[in-house]
Amino acid sequence: LEHYIFAGNSGTGKTTVAKCMASILYRLGMLPTDRCVVVSAASLGGKYVGSAQDNVRKQFEEAIGGVLLIDEAYELGKSQFGRESLTTIVALLTEDDFKGKFCCVMAGYKDDMNVMLDSNQGARSRFSTTLNFENWEPKNCMELCIEKAKEIKTPEGGTVDPLF
């Protein structure tokens, strides 16, 4: 299983896609569950040296068999406890207890995610695939909704006219 970076602004669908990814990987037989565990980077930090390691391990254990989404992951590069969490994430992804047993997704703002990844030498190699989530204009969203509505079949076998 690969691990991913989802980069984009708030409201671009990163969390929704991570949840869909869990379902897809489950249906493909790549994961035994469709569970998506969502945590914030701040919750992985600690209040004393060593506690971040325990927090990360606990979340990894909970995510086994599914997807772990670490939201606002750019916070992992900003403090002592955040850097400790990131170092632990990078190390645990290659441990036998966790390797290949779940999919980890780190999500956040594009520029901030790059800064965070640059703060740990092994992070980019563990998260080698980045998906960029672009902002949508209301017009683009409306066009998609109209296209999807045209695909809906009525009980009589016809199609819906979304512009009625």
Side-chain angles (χ1 to χ4, degrees), residues 17-71:
V17 170
K19 290 176 180 179
C20 290
M21 179 183 273
S23 178
I24 291 167
L25 293 173
Y26 168 71
R27 290 178 183 191
L28 290 173
M30 297 174 73
L31 290 173
T33 75
D34 64 353
R35 183 176 62 250
C36 182
V37 177
V38 180
V39 298
S40 69
S43 71
L44 297 178
K47 295 188 185 337
Y48 56 89
V49 175
S51 62
Q53 295 171 351
D54 295 337
N55 293 341
V56 171
R57 183 174 287 277
K58 179 182 174 192
Q59 293 302 324
F60 272 39
E61 289 169 351
E62 186 177 336
I64 288 176
V67 170
L68 173 64
L69 171 66
I70 303 171
D71 202 10

Side-chain angles (χ1 to χ4, degrees), residues 11-151:
T12 54
K14 298 179 299 291
T15 301
T16 300
V17 170
K19 290 176 180 179
C20 290
M21 179 183 273
S23 178
I24 291 167
L25 293 173
Y26 168 71
R27 290 178 183 191
L28 290 173
M30 297 174 73
L31 290 173
T33 75
D34 64 353
R35 183 176 62 250
C36 182
V37 177
V38 180
V39 298
S40 69
S43 71
L44 297 178
K47 295 188 185 337
Y48 56 89
V49 175
S51 62
Q53 295 171 351
D54 295 337
N55 293 341
V56 171
R57 183 174 287 277
K58 179 182 174 192
Q59 293 302 324
F60 272 39
E61 289 169 351
E62 186 177 336
I64 288 176
V67 170
L68 173 64
L69 171 66
I70 303 171
D71 202 10
E72 300 170 348
Y74 51 84
E75 293 292 336
L76 297 173
K78 292 186 175 179
S79 70
Q80 173 190 349
F81 297 120
R83 287 187 297 275
E84 184 180 330
S85 296
L86 181 57
T87 299
T88 304
I89 290 166
V90 169
L92 291 182
L93 286 174
T94 59
E95 273 192 13
D96 289 341
D97 288 348
F98 302 109
K99 188 175 183 178
K101 296 183 179 176
F102 72 103
C103 173
C104 186
V105 175
M106 293 204 297
Y109 303 117
K110 185 177 182 178
D111 292 340
D112 292 338
M113 292 298 288
N114 282 322
V115 170
M116 181 271 300
L117 289 168
D118 289 340
S119 74
N120 182 294
Q121 191 172 15
R124 285 204 190 270
S125 66
R126 303 304 191 282
F127 295 89
S128 57
T129 302
T130 298
L131 300 178
N132 291 306
F133 289 71
E134 301 299 327
N135 294 333
W136 277 43
E137 296 296 324
K139 179 183 174 193
N140 302 118
C141 186
M142 181 187 72
E143 289 169 354
L144 176 65
C145 290
I146 289 171
E147 287 303 311
K148 290 298 177 186
K150 289 178 182 178
E151 296 173 7

